[in-house]
């Protein structure tokens, strides 16, 4: 999850597709984000490396679209609809997620347990895939 | 007859020592004087025939002399009013000493200084005038250069006189126990100086009747220059040297522990004492002996458990053994007096606050009864209700009545009643009314004890004793301690040096003040 500046970032990511829910005149996704390059990374409770300025999921509304899509608290968002989220300010991240014209966001998220699971599965069975939830999720190694 | 004469005087005084009686009497008299302006204590303490010893059995004082006079009392009441006893003599001389004393020692130094100053001011003029008077015909004529020197001489003399007036012609406010070293040094220097100039003048000018007048004028001008320089030296030694702070003096009053810290420069102990006393009169709150001790009810509880009978004929072993036993027993016994002290203090504090509140309300109300009379009010008010116009004194007396009782109770509660008489309160009220002060401004004098200077009457000098282990003309050093004693308390002064300061420099570029946000915001999407 940490990166060395100048070197490509390697991470195990999961694709999550969330349908925006229409609540009144807002389209909400049902989670909260924290982090950004203009924020203080030391206060992030979910990051392993306290200098990681990426965007993290800090809260999930129970019963919301994000929960049903399989998003978990503590996930780091790497891409939103193709836009990179590893080097953005907090406000830019918010804007990318809350575009009014889009009603679906496709996120690439990473979490520690994914790495472990890949290592585990590599160790035990080379091509074992974990159980799926009802959203489409695939595990990919992404090189950014 | 016997009873009459025994109790008509202060016969209770017989059992106490003379000096404490004298002090108490003076304090009593002072208190009584404050209360109603008349000296009531003096009337009965007279008399003995002047110059005769007290125990003279053949004195001719008539009948109402006490029979056991020789054994118990040393003061006798009699009918003659213009002869004084020994004690009265000492009392009166002490009074004289307290008020401005016609004491020779006090005036020696200023008189000497004045004489020397006068002589040294006249000397240049004498130097100029004597040749003109004595051998005018043989003098060389000197025109313009001399006139230039005359002008410079005149101005320098004028400046010398003005600065002498400004610096040295001030009434001294203290008499020091020993010589003031710098002043003596300077007087000696001036004397030597002027004497040597006169000597030279006498030998080289007057004797051979010198004809070079310009040289004489130059000589007189050089004398005035030298006098100006001596005055500069005097300024530096007497006035400037002690201005730069070098020591910190801690002054504690022994009676109640009030302390202050002062910064002084290099002074001798006696000068430092005078300086401290100057500050004492305006900084320290007035010494109130009534506020000092724990109430008797708390202290005597300790004593009352053990009755000690001290018999005259017991030997020393017994007495020390008994006192040791008593101390041990007292230490073992559980001591609850702190508890009582705590509650008593809380109670006193509460009572005091209540009385203070009553006083403030009474004064505020009293002040609303009165208003400054404006001149343009008269046409409207005079036809209906002619208000009588009062001057400040009458106005003060008029509004004093409603607040008198509250004021008296408050003063009694804070034990200040000996410092404020009814007369002084009315005077202060008059003062406040005249200057348009609010009730709060009027009360500031009574709500907190002011500096001692506020309660002094200025025509009496103050007698202090300087107690020191080193010579009082020695200059201040670290760790010295000296005392300034008065009759019932003392001021202990401790000298501490001020620390040496190392001041370092650090340059901050104004462009280096930059900030970053330190927050973690959370947005719901």
């Amino acid at each position: 999850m940490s990166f060395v500046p100048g070197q490509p970032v390697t991470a195990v990511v999961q694709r999550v597709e969330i349908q925006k829910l229409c609540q009144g005149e807002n389209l909400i996704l049902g989670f909260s984000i924290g982090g950004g390059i203009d924020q203080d990374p030391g206060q992030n409770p979910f990051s392993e490396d306290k200098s990681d300025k990426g965007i993290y999921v800090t809260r999930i509304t129970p019963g919301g679209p994000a929960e049903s899509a399989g998003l978990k608290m503590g996930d780091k968002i790497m891409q939103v609809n193709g836009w990179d989220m590893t080097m953005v300010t907090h406000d830019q991240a918010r804007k990318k997620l809350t575009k009014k014209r889009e009603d679906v966001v496709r996120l690439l998220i990473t979490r520690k347990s994914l790495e472990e699971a890949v290592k585990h599965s590599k160790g035990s069975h080379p091509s074992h895939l974990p159980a799926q939830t009802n959203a489409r999720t695939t595990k990919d190694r992404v090189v950014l | 007859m016997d009873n009459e004469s025994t109790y008509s005087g202060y016969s209770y005084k017989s059992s106490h020592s003379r000096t404490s009686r004298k002090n108490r009497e003076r304090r009593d008299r002072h208190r009584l004087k404050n209360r109603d302006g008349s000296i009531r204590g003096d009337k009965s303490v007279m008399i003995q025939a002047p110059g005769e010893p007290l125990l003279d059995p053949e004195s001719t004082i008539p009948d109402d002399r006490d029979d056991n006079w020789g054994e118990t009392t040393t003061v006798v009441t009699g009918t003659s009013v213009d002869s004084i006893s020994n004690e009265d003599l000492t009392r009166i001389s002490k009074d004289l000493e307290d008020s401005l004393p016609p004491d020779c020692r006090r005036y020696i130094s200023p008189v000497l200084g004045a004489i020397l100053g006068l002589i040294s001011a006249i000397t240049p003029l004498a130097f100029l005038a004597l040749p003109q008077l004595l051998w005018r015909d043989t003098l060389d004529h000197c025109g313009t250069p001399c006139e230039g020197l005359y002008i410079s001489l005149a101005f320098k003399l004028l400046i010398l006189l003005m600065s002498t007036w400004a610096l040295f012609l001030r009434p001294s406010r203290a008499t020091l126990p020993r010589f003031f070293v710098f002043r003596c040094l300077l007087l000696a220097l001036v004397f030597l100086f002027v004497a040597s100039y006169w000597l030279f003048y006498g030998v080289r000018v007057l004797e051979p009747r010198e004809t070079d007048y310009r040289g004489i004028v130059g000589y007189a001008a050089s004398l005035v220059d030298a006098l100006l320089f001596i005055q500069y030296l005097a300024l530096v030694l007497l006035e400037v040297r002690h201005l730069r702070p070098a020591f910190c003096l801690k002054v504690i009053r022994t009676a109640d522990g009030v302390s202050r810290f002062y910064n002084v420069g290099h002074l001798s102990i006696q000068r430092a004492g005078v300086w401290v006393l100057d500050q004492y009169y305006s900084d320290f709150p007035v010494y109130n002996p009534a506020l000092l001790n724990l109430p008797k009810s708390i202290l005597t509880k300790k004593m009352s458990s053990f009755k000690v009978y001290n018999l005259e004929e017991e030997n020393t072993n017994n007495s020390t053994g008994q006192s040791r036993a008593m101390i041990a027993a007292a230490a073992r016994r559980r001591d609850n007096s702190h508890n009582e002290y705590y509650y008593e203090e809380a109670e006193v504090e509460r009572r005091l606050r209540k009385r203070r509140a009553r006083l403030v309300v009474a004064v505020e109300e009293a002040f609303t009864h009165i208003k400054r009379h404006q001149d343009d009010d008269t046409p409207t008010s005079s036809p209906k209700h002619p208000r009588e116009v009062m001057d400040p004194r009458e106005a003060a007396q008029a509004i004093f009545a409603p607040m008198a009782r509250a004021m008296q109770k408050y003063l009694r509660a804070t034990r200040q009643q000996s410092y404020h008489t009814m007369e002084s309160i009315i005077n202060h009220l008059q003062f406040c009314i005249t200057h348009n002060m609010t009730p709060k401004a009027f009360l500031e004098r009574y709500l907190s004890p002011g500096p001692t200077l506020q309660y002094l009457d200025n025509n009496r000098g103050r007698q202090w004793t300087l107690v020191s282990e080193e010579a009082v003309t020695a200059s201040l050093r670290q760790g010295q301690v000296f005392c300034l004693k008065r009759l019932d308390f003392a001021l202990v002064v401790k000298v501490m040096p001020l620390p040496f300061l190392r001041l370092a420099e650090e340059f901050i570029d104004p462009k280096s003040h930059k900030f970053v946000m330190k927050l973690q915001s959370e947005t719901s999407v």
Side-chain angles (χ1 to χ4, degrees):
Chain A
M1 300 254 217
S2 62
F3 69 97
V4 175
Q7 303 297 322
V9 177
T10 314
V12 180
V13 294
Q14 178 176 351
R15 280 211 184 96
V16 172
E17 188 175 300
I18 311 180
Q19 302 283 341
K20 288 197 190 176
L21 182 60
C22 190
Q23 207 181 61
E25 48 174 51
N26 303 339
L27 289 169
I28 62 161
L29 289 165
F31 65 96
S32 298
I33 53 164
I37 53 176
D38 55 339
Q39 307 283 308
D40 180 14
Q43 295 188 30
N44 193 342
F46 304 111
S47 59
E48 276 182 8
D49 177 15
K50 290 301 171 192
S51 64
D52 184 8
K53 293 192 178 181
I55 306 289
Y56 282 78
V57 175
T58 54
R59 210 167 44 92
I60 308 261
T61 322
E67 194 183 19
S68 40
L71 197 62
K72 304 256 187 312
M73 197 166 77
D75 293 350
K76 177 172 171 180
I77 305 178
M78 308 293 276
Q79 275 184 12
V80 170
N81 286 344
W83 295 101
D84 170 53
M85 288 280 127
T86 54
M87 275 282 131
V88 289
T89 65
H90 189 88
D91 208 41
Q92 284 169 341
R94 180 191 58 85
K95 282 195 191 139
K96 294 287 185 282
L97 283 166
T98 51
K99 284 208 165 29
K100 287 225 163 105
R101 301 204 180 191
E102 305 168 349
D103 51 356
V104 66
V105 287
R106 292 182 178 84
L107 310 176
L108 281 183
I109 56 126
T110 179
R111 58 174 88 97
K112 185 107 191 303
S113 53
L114 290 177
E115 290 269 358
E116 319 260 297
V118 163
K119 259 193 248 165
H120 214 60
S121 64
K122 263 221 255 173
S124 62
H125 202 283
S127 55
H128 177 74
L129 288 173
Q132 306 298 313
T133 56
N134 49 0
R136 258 192 303 131
T137 57
T138 50
K139 265 212 307 284
D140 275 324
R141 256 224 149 78
V142 172
V143 175
L144 294 169
Chain B
M1 206 47 158
D2 221 31
N3 285 341
E4 215 183 307
S5 55
T6 313
Y7 294 107
S8 58
Y10 287 91
S11 57
Y12 70 91
K13 287 189 291 190
S14 58
S15 51
H16 303 277
S17 77
R18 214 180 80 164
T19 46
S20 73
R21 176 165 21 100
K22 197 169 24 159
N23 296 340
R24 203 178 346 109
E25 193 187 12
R26 268 205 306 145
R27 244 186 288 154
D28 282 339
R29 213 171 4 101
H30 187 73
R31 221 172 263 171
L32 291 170
K33 205 195 293 198
N34 272 342
R35 247 190 221 130
D36 46 20
S38 70
I39 305 176
R40 279 197 293 194
D42 275 342
K43 279 187 250 170
S44 50
V45 188
M46 307 280 187
I47 287 23
Q48 183 71 8
E52 283 174 9
L54 286 173
L55 294 177
D56 188 4
E58 276 154 298
S59 87
T60 53
I61 292 183
D63 342 8
D64 39 359
R65 198 176 89 188
D66 189 7
D67 277 344
N68 38 359
W69 169 90
E71 288 129 55
T72 55
T73 62
T74 51
V75 173
V76 170
T77 61
T79 53
S80 148
V81 288
D82 38 50
S83 52
I84 4 177
S85 71
N86 201 8
E87 200 199 46
D88 284 306
L89 268 178
T90 51
R91 183 161 45 90
I92 288 176
S93 72
K94 203 110 206 293
D95 273 339
L96 276 184
E97 192 174 65
D98 276 352
S99 54
L100 295 178
D103 185 6
C104 290
R105 255 192 67 190
R106 180 173 152 154
Y107 291 115
I108 277 187
S109 177
V111 163
L112 258 184
I115 291 178
L116 262 182
L118 212 59
I119 290 181
S120 53
I122 289 190
T123 305
L125 301 174
F127 284 0
L128 289 181
L130 281 177
Q132 296 277 349
L133 293 175
L134 295 179
W135 62 91
R136 194 187 202 137
D137 322 318
T138 54
L139 275 180
D140 288 346
H141 174 67
C142 88
T144 335
C146 271
E147 278 159 21
L149 282 174
Y150 286 156
I151 290 180
S152 84
L153 202 70
F155 276 114
K156 280 186 202 158
L157 260 183
L158 182 67
I159 291 177
L160 195 68
L161 288 174
M162 273 172 53
S163 55
T164 310
W165 168 82
L167 286 175
F168 303 124
L169 292 182
R170 289 176 292 189
S172 73
R173 283 190 31 256
T175 61
L176 302 175
R178 296 273 168 142
F179 292 125
F180 184 177
V181 175
F182 285 148
R183 204 176 4 197
C184 290
L185 201 69
L186 284 164
L187 285 178
L189 196 64
V190 169
F191 174 70
L192 264 180
F193 205 73
V194 174
S196 63
Y197 261 71
W198 269 110
L199 196 62
F200 187 83
Y201 187 75
V203 169
R204 290 302 175 96
V205 175
L206 286 181
E207 290 266 332
R209 304 219 158 188
E210 177 69 42
T211 55
D212 177 17
Y213 195 55
R214 194 172 169 284
I216 296 176
V217 179
Y219 185 63
S222 79
L223 172 65
V224 180
D225 283 339
L227 283 176
L228 274 174
F229 286 132
I230 291 188
Q231 196 168 66
Y232 163 74
L233 184 67
L235 184 66
V236 163
L237 280 182
L238 295 180
E239 307 280 334
V240 171
R241 184 173 179 258
H242 60 78
L243 288 180
R244 177 137 64 123
F247 297 102
C248 183
L249 299 181
K250 177 174 186 185
V251 185
I252 319 173
R253 187 159 60 186
T254 56
D256 48 5
V258 178
S259 69
R260 294 278 186 279
F261 288 83
Y262 298 114
N263 282 359
V264 292
H266 289 277
L267 286 172
S268 60
I269 294 184
Q270 54 184 6
R271 278 174 88 192
V274 171
W275 194 88
V276 163
L277 286 178
D278 275 342
Q279 311 298 313
Y280 167 79
Y281 277 108
S282 48
D283 277 347
F284 277 65
V286 67
Y287 165 60
N288 196 345
L291 282 178
L292 286 179
N293 306 312
L294 288 179
K296 286 266 163 73
S297 57
I298 294 176
L299 285 179
T300 50
K301 283 244 167 91
K302 261 196 180 161
M303 317 294 194
S304 61
S305 311
F306 292 97
K307 290 197 166 142
V308 180
Y309 298 95
N310 206 357
L311 307 173
E312 286 304 321
E313 53 268 16
E314 69 185 5
N315 54 359
T316 49
N317 290 338
N318 249 352
S319 66
T320 53
Q322 189 175 33
S323 60
R324 235 185 283 143
M326 191 177 83
I327 293 172
R332 260 184 273 131
R333 192 169 48 107
R334 205 156 61 104
D335 184 6
N336 269 338
S337 56
H338 60 272
N339 228 359
E340 292 161 21
Y341 175 57
Y342 169 70
Y343 283 116
E344 171 114 11
E345 238 196 23
E347 182 63 32
V348 163
E349 180 80 12
R350 199 181 61 92
R351 223 179 299 146
L352 190 71
R353 274 203 294 240
K354 231 204 251 179
R355 287 207 180 162
R356 183 191 165 126
R358 282 207 192 118
L359 174 67
V360 169
V361 163
V363 170
E364 298 251 357
E365 273 183 23
F367 267 66
T368 58
H369 294 320
I370 205 172
K371 194 179 81 146
R372 194 165 257 267
H373 172 67
Q374 311 288 345
D375 279 330
D376 34 311
D377 275 352
T378 37
T380 54
S381 65
S382 50
K384 294 187 194 167
H385 306 286
R387 285 189 282 205
E388 58 169 83
V389 179
M390 301 184 280
D391 69 340
R393 179 98 192 151
E394 292 166 0
Q397 277 165 341
I399 61 174
F400 179 64
M403 68 162 98
R405 192 151 179 274
M407 174 72 83
Q408 195 190 41
K409 288 193 111 158
Y410 178 77
L411 287 181
R412 246 185 243 280
T414 54
R415 323 261 174 105
Q416 284 178 328
Q417 71 266 27
S418 53
Y419 295 115
H420 303 287
T421 64
M422 203 173 83
E423 192 58 34
S424 80
I425 300 177
I426 293 188
N427 282 340
H428 185 60
L429 191 54
Q430 175 188 348
F431 174 76
C432 291
I433 293 179
T434 317
H435 294 277
N436 291 332
M437 292 202 200
T438 59
K440 202 165 173 183
F442 163 70
L443 279 177
E444 99 25 77
R445 194 178 195 206
Y446 304 105
L447 291 182
S448 56
T452 317
L453 200 56
Q454 209 177 38
Y455 302 98
L456 283 188
D457 44 348
N458 268 336
N459 31 17
R460 293 162 58 124
R462 297 278 136 176
Q463 170 80 14
W464 289 82
T465 312
L466 179 56
V467 177
S468 149
E469 289 160 15
E470 303 188 356
V472 296
T473 49
S475 78
L476 289 178
R477 262 179 335 109
Q478 169 189 10
Q480 267 179 354
V481 176
F482 60 94
C483 278
L484 290 155
K485 260 207 213 157
R486 205 155 148 76
L487 295 168
D488 35 0
F489 63 93
L491 295 174
V492 177
V493 181
K494 203 164 133 183
V495 182
M496 297 173 277
L498 288 176
F500 181 75
L501 302 170
R502 289 194 184 86
L503 207 55
E505 166 200 358
E506 184 181 327
F507 174 69
I508 294 187
D509 186 5
K511 288 201 260 251
S512 70
H513 297 293
K514 297 223 186 291
F515 294 91
V516 286
M517 279 291 256
K518 220 177 143 50
L519 41 85
Q520 187 75 6
S521 38
E522 191 184 336
T523 327
S524 307
V525 292

